[in-house]
Amino acid sequence: MASLVGSRVERKEDKKFLTGKGRYTADINLANQTYAYFVRSPHARASISKVDVSKASNAPGVVKILTGDDLAEDKIGGLIAGWKIVSQDGTDMKVPAHPPLANNTVNYVGDHVAVVIAETLDQAREAADLVRVDYKVLKAVVKTSDALNSKPIHEGIDKNLCFDWGLGDKSKTDEAFSKAEKIIKIDLVNNRLIPNAMEPRASIGDYNPSSENLTLYTTNQNPHLTRLVLSAFCAIQPEHKFRVVAPDVGGGFGSKIYPYAEDAVIAWTAKKIERPVKWVAERTESFLSDCHGRDHITHAELAVKNDGKIVGLKVETIANLGGYASLFATVTPTYLYGPLVLGLYDIPVAFCNVKAVYTNTTPVDAYRGAGRPEATYMIERLVEKAAKEMGIDRAEFRSKNFISKFPHQQCLVHNIDSGDYSAHLNKALELSDYKNFENRRTESKSKGKLRGIGFSTYLEACGIAPSAVVMSIGAGVGLWESAEIRFNATGNISVFTGTHSHGQGHDTTFAQIVSDKLGVPIENIDLVHGDTDKGPFGMGTYGSRSLAVGGTAITKACDKIIDKGKKVAAHMLEAKPDEIDFKAGEFIVKNSNKKKTIGEIAFACYLPGQYGEIKSPLPEGVEPGLKETAFYDPVNFSFPAGTHICEVEVDQDTGETKVVAYTAVDDFGTVINPMIVEGQVHGGVVQGIGQALYENARYDESGQLITASYMDYTMPRANNLPELRIDYTSTPATSNPLGVKGCGEAGAIAAPPAVMNAVIDAIDIDISMPATSEKVCNALQKNKKNNKEAA
């Protein structure tokens, strides 16, 4: 049986999606079901004196209307910030209460005020219009840059400051800067993004009063953690009586990792009225209330010798958390960002300071890359600027400063186990035909276009570190993963995983791993996930962890299956377990032709009576059945890296920017399925191009989101993209037995600086993301005017 690892196996899960047989939360309808519609705040900041539901309660079809007072009366807890960050002065972060339905104040447009439950969705929507809320509108704090100098929006949180966090050795860094021969400075904005998965969020609560079991169907990347939070902190239902099901999910990108207010409210209301309650977000609700991403302003400085060697780095960032601190909001701009500001460069000393602030905007949390794109954008923009100011070729400058020996202990946190950064840089230079770029620039100029090229040599840390480590720095839970391999009597396999697949292709890649390990045909392997009642507790899918952590748990469970199979085979073949080899699905007695297939072993484990009572195929002390569970706590992050090179053409008259060539060479260690990996890279690069050129969440001065639809929030389209050149180098990870490194976020991490460096190279003007046609055109016109006046 040929190995499937490394093969372009077609995705097992695609048939149901391509034939319209996927089952999403919105597709689920239960008997006696009601519908929910949320009353949301039209103001960014206001106090609430009264919520009058009297007229709405008498509207046709209304079953129940619930407010924050009802929630408080039932002692339902608030949503939590799941990672405690400690400030430089030793004080804990400041976190305001975040009730699922507002009690006295609202803190962003779209904040939840009340929920209307009715027999039909239209009746719920119409009744919601009759709910009268007395607001006292207060001055909103909207801009990230204004938060520290504005009046507090939450009582007891001075300067709107959640924490003032530092990482690194400030005194040594200052000393390095004092001796530097050149200091490069840059100011950057990492624009706020709105996740736009194809499937909007949805929740269905279903309570059985006779068994006291509560089920929540929801669009979620992490059903086990959602159940834990809603049970332990919101006190909606004891965990053993609470089932969370995440069926097919049409994209998550990080914004569906954590439970939302709607999940808590829908579960609670279903229990309260003892009928199923269904809520599906309208797209505008998604724009307003799905957690946003990014939103940093940063000043950074690079200390360099005259020969181009980097000797130090300083980073100061203000990170916007929005109106509340969401579940992973506090770790994203700290431990997922700070250690990565070094990139893949051998920088001896550094200091990173992050101030996280509250504003009256939608909460910000993890979004594809989660901290890593922000760090990469900073260091790659800074390195590009340094190379230009020092007159050193951009590739040469990077290569001169690459980490070259592994393992490598960085000055900020990470111990990088493996890599070969020159290998992917050199391959990218070749594939992109870098040596002939200036010829292409000249050709574009002859057509009246400005052509630019930009690099991004990125480093990512994914898979998350050992639980003891993350919990020592504030994580509320360990970040291990689980798996169960369950044979049935006829030799087919169900693989239960605690991770969740919402587009990544886990059904295929995990089956490839199991098929190779156990020698079972891939079509006989089924993946089960997304249901807290079926598999062991797991920590979900995010941070490119599923293969490195979840895949390793599966591998460990397979090893246990093989160990038990050897004992059974030895007994059946009258040998000792250490005399049994296992290969390609067969247990073979060494130096003989005596063997049993793994299917025969499974059959014997489940039906030992087939051989009669006198001789059982199971050795003494071995239980019937063939299923094993394994948990895996990672020993280190995995560290994907790569080089992305982008070329753009800019129209001098309109400012329109087109990406005309894009090359990505990534090191993902062992690649299980190249086709699936390429799909992940494609998607990530498109999202990165979207951030660089098009996407930008904008609020007016009062806190109204003025990009709350696709009419105003620009997404990249197919005709905005070139054909991508994709290739790989490989240095297997040593931190997991598969040798894999995560691939799901690399494109979104690498693309923004590659694209922006190319735009700035083309127009020779420093502008911020997104480089929209209007922004580029205005910059070119202003530059032309200044040049005329100077002449």
Side-chain angles (χ1 to χ4, degrees):
M1 182 176 174
S3 173
L4 292 182
V5 169
S7 301
R8 293 176 175 271
V9 177
E10 291 188 2
R11 288 177 23 131
K12 289 164 60 74
E13 52 269 75
D14 280 354
K15 182 178 179 180
K16 67 177 178 179
F17 296 130
L18 295 174
T19 57
K21 298 296 192 296
R23 187 171 185 258
Y24 300 90
T25 303
D27 295 324
I28 299 170
N29 290 292
L30 305 176
N32 203 28
Q33 179 175 282
T34 62
Y35 295 83
Y37 194 84
F38 282 87
V39 177
R40 298 179 182 273
S41 171
H43 307 293
R45 186 178 175 219
S47 60
I48 299 173
S49 58
K50 183 181 181 182
V51 180
D52 184 356
V53 302
S54 57
K55 188 174 182 180
S57 296
N58 294 321
V62 170
V63 177
K64 194 81 172 178
I65 300 177
L66 296 164
T67 69
D69 289 341
D70 299 304
L71 190 129
E73 185 177 331
D74 282 4
K75 295 182 171 53
I76 301 300
L79 301 174
I80 64 165
W83 202 298
K84 185 176 77 171
I85 301 299
V86 178
S87 292
Q88 295 183 79
D89 63 3
T91 59
D92 289 345
M93 64 185 187
K94 306 296 189 298
V95 178
H98 186 186
L101 292 175
N103 278 331
N104 303 311
T105 61
V106 289
N107 286 290
Y108 63 96
V109 174
D111 205 349
H112 314 73
V113 177
V115 62
V116 178
I117 313 297
E119 299 291 349
T120 70
L121 178 58
D122 285 342
Q123 289 172 333
R125 185 186 291 112
E126 290 166 7
D129 288 339
L130 300 176
V131 175
R132 295 289 173 257
V133 184
D134 291 339
Y135 295 103
K136 179 183 178 183
V137 179
L138 305 171
K139 182 175 175 54
V141 176
V142 180
K143 293 182 180 180
T144 306
S145 56
D146 292 344
L148 290 170
N149 299 314
S150 300
K151 290 183 178 180
I153 64 173
H154 294 294
E155 187 176 346
I157 301 181
D158 295 339
K159 297 183 178 181
N160 297 304
L161 183 66
C162 178
F163 56 76
D164 182 348
W165 177 82
L167 182 68
D169 192 318
K170 190 174 188 302
S171 61
K172 286 185 179 179
T173 305
D174 288 339
E175 182 181 353
F177 269 76
S178 70
K179 298 176 182 178
E181 294 165 332
K182 181 81 173 176
I183 295 176
I184 313 296
K185 300 179 180 182
I186 199 165
D187 290 291
L188 300 169
V189 173
N190 210 289
N191 43 319
R192 176 182 280 239
L193 303 178
I194 301 176
N196 273 281
M198 290 177 68
E199 180 197 20
R201 287 190 297 114
S203 297
I204 302 171
D206 183 23
Y207 180 66
N208 185 331
S210 62
S211 65
E212 298 183 337
N213 287 325
L214 175 64
T215 300
L216 176 68
Y217 301 91
T218 181
T219 51
N220 193 272
Q221 299 172 219
N222 201 343
H224 288 278
L225 186 62
T226 291
R227 180 182 66 171
L228 176 64
V229 171
L230 297 184
S231 175
F233 297 96
C234 296
I236 290 170
Q237 184 76 349
E239 206 171 353
H240 71 294
K241 292 284 188 179
F242 198 176
R243 178 188 181 197
V244 176
V245 181
D248 292 327
V249 173
F253 310 112
S255 68
K256 294 176 182 175
I257 298 173
Y258 24 82
Y260 283 84
E262 292 89 352
D263 296 311
V265 171
I266 295 303
W268 167 60
T269 54
K271 182 178 177 182
K272 199 165 183 68
I273 70 170
E274 297 186 355
R275 288 180 61 183
V277 181
K278 181 174 184 176
W279 169 78
V280 178
E282 297 175 352
R283 185 58 71 173
T284 296
E285 282 185 292
S286 296
F287 274 95
L288 292 173
S289 63
D290 287 9
C291 283
H292 293 177
R294 319 293 191 241
D295 204 345
H296 285 194
I297 56 175
T298 294
H299 175 77
E301 300 182 5
L302 201 65
V304 190
K305 290 182 178 180
N306 286 333
D307 64 359
K309 190 67 178 173
I310 300 171
V311 296
L313 173 69
K314 290 181 181 178
V315 182
E316 295 179 0
T317 292
I318 300 175
N320 191 348
L321 300 181
Y324 303 97
S326 183
L327 189 67
F328 289 130
T330 54
V331 68
T332 299
T334 52
Y335 291 106
L336 295 181
Y337 168 73
L340 271 297
V341 298
L342 299 170
L344 35 62
Y345 305 109
D346 188 0
I347 302 176
V349 291
F351 182 74
C352 178
N353 171 235
V354 178
K355 296 177 176 67
V357 296
Y358 295 108
T359 62
N360 295 116
T361 59
T362 301
V364 174
D365 206 315
Y367 177 59
R368 197 173 194 170
R372 282 74 55 85
E374 297 92 315
T376 302
Y377 184 68
M378 182 283 302
I379 189 63
E380 286 304 296
R381 285 290 313 281
L382 188 55
V383 163
E384 192 90 351
K385 185 177 182 183
K388 182 176 181 179
E389 288 192 13
M390 299 190 72
I392 302 174
D393 177 81
R394 53 177 68 83
E396 180 187 343
F397 185 88
R398 287 174 164 83
S399 183
K400 180 188 290 284
N401 287 287
F402 279 165
I403 297 163
S404 58
K405 295 181 180 179
F406 298 89
H408 174 85
Q409 178 61 59
Q410 291 187 308
C411 68
L412 299 180
V413 179
H414 289 309
N415 189 299
I416 303 170
D417 64 329
S418 67
D420 185 344
Y421 304 152
S422 294
H424 54 70
L425 173 63
N426 292 335
K427 183 173 277 194
L429 291 174
E430 181 181 347
L431 284 176
S432 65
D433 191 25
Y434 179 59
K435 64 183 179 181
N436 290 313
F437 169 71
E438 290 302 331
N439 295 335
R440 296 193 293 278
R441 195 201 294 268
T442 301
E443 183 181 349
S444 294
K445 189 175 181 180
S446 69
K447 301 174 186 177
K449 306 285 187 182
L450 301 174
R451 195 178 188 103
I453 192 167
F455 280 45
S456 175
T457 48
Y458 77 93
L459 175 71
E460 182 185 355
C462 57
I464 313 301
S467 294
V469 173
V470 296
M471 295 187 78
S472 72
I473 56 174
V477 292
L479 296 177
W480 41 263
E481 197 44 75
S482 65
E484 181 182 302
I485 305 293
R486 186 184 303 173
F487 270 86
N488 59 36
T490 53
N492 298 326
I493 298 176
S494 292
V495 179
F496 296 83
T497 176
T499 68
H500 186 279
S501 181
H502 43 280
Q504 295 89 342
H506 293 173
D507 290 41
T508 307
T509 51
F510 286 173
Q512 287 177 254
I513 292 169
V514 173
S515 179
D516 265 25
K517 286 285 290 184
L518 300 181
V520 176
I522 193 170
E523 59 269 21
N524 293 346
I525 301 168
D526 186 39
L527 186 73
V528 182
H529 61 86
D531 188 334
T532 59
D533 271 10
K534 289 186 177 179
F537 193 110
M539 299 308 299
T541 295
Y542 46 86
S544 299
R545 70 187 296 272
S546 291
L547 193 55
V549 187
T552 299
I554 288 172
T555 299
K556 287 168 66 69
C558 288
D559 289 338
K560 290 182 178 181
I561 290 284
I562 294 168
D563 286 344
K564 181 173 182 178
K566 285 183 176 181
K567 295 175 183 177
V568 176
H571 184 69
M572 295 176 71
L573 297 170
E574 299 180 332
K576 296 178 180 179
D578 61 4
E579 296 175 336
I580 302 294
D581 286 333
F582 179 75
K583 183 178 180 181
E586 294 182 330
F587 295 91
I588 307 167
V589 179
K590 293 177 182 178
N591 302 315
S592 80
N593 60 0
K594 296 168 64 177
K595 62 183 179 182
K596 291 288 183 182
T597 67
I598 197 167
E600 290 174 311
I601 296 299
F603 196 71
C605 285
Y606 281 102
L607 299 167
Q610 64 178 305
Y611 292 90
E613 296 181 4
I614 297 175
K615 183 182 178 183
S616 169
L618 301 182
E620 187 175 351
V622 173
E623 297 176 349
L626 191 57
K627 69 173 185 176
E628 295 289 348
T629 300
F631 290 80
Y632 176 66
D633 203 350
V635 297
N636 195 3
F637 291 83
S638 70
F639 297 96
T643 299
H644 288 212
I645 300 176
C646 176
E647 288 187 42
V648 301
E649 276 191 339
V650 178
D651 187 307
Q652 298 183 69
D653 297 323
T654 66
E656 181 185 9
T657 299
K658 286 189 176 181
V659 178
V660 293
Y662 196 100
T663 301
V665 179
D666 299 289
D667 179 358
F668 297 133
T670 302
V671 173
I672 304 297
N673 188 319
M675 180 184 68
I676 288 177
V677 169
E678 286 164 15
Q680 288 292 303
V681 173
H682 283 157
V685 167
V686 170
Q687 284 187 257
I689 291 173
Q691 175 171 14
L693 298 181
Y694 308 110
E695 300 182 47
N696 191 26
R698 295 176 57 203
Y699 289 87
D700 67 14
E701 291 182 357
S702 69
Q704 292 292 330
L705 181 64
I706 57 178
T707 52
S709 75
Y710 290 130
M711 293 292 289
D712 305 297
Y713 187 87
T714 308
M715 299 281 286
R717 297 170 181 259
N719 62 357
N720 299 131
L721 308 169
E723 184 175 342
L724 306 181
R725 302 186 194 103
I726 293 178
D727 208 336
Y728 310 99
T729 59
S730 179
T731 57
T734 63
S735 57
N736 64 78
L738 294 169
V740 298
K741 304 176 183 180
C743 69
E745 298 166 289
I749 291 167
V755 175
M756 287 303 297
N757 283 336
V759 172
I760 292 166
D761 181 57
I763 65 176
D764 199 24
I765 304 168
D766 195 347
I767 62 173
S768 61
M769 289 194 292
T772 62
S773 298
E774 179 184 19
K775 188 184 291 184
V776 172
C777 185
N778 288 341
L780 287 169
Q781 295 302 318
K782 183 179 179 181
N783 191 53
K784 185 185 291 186
K785 181 181 177 182
N786 291 341
N787 289 339
K788 282 183 179 180
E789 290 174 353

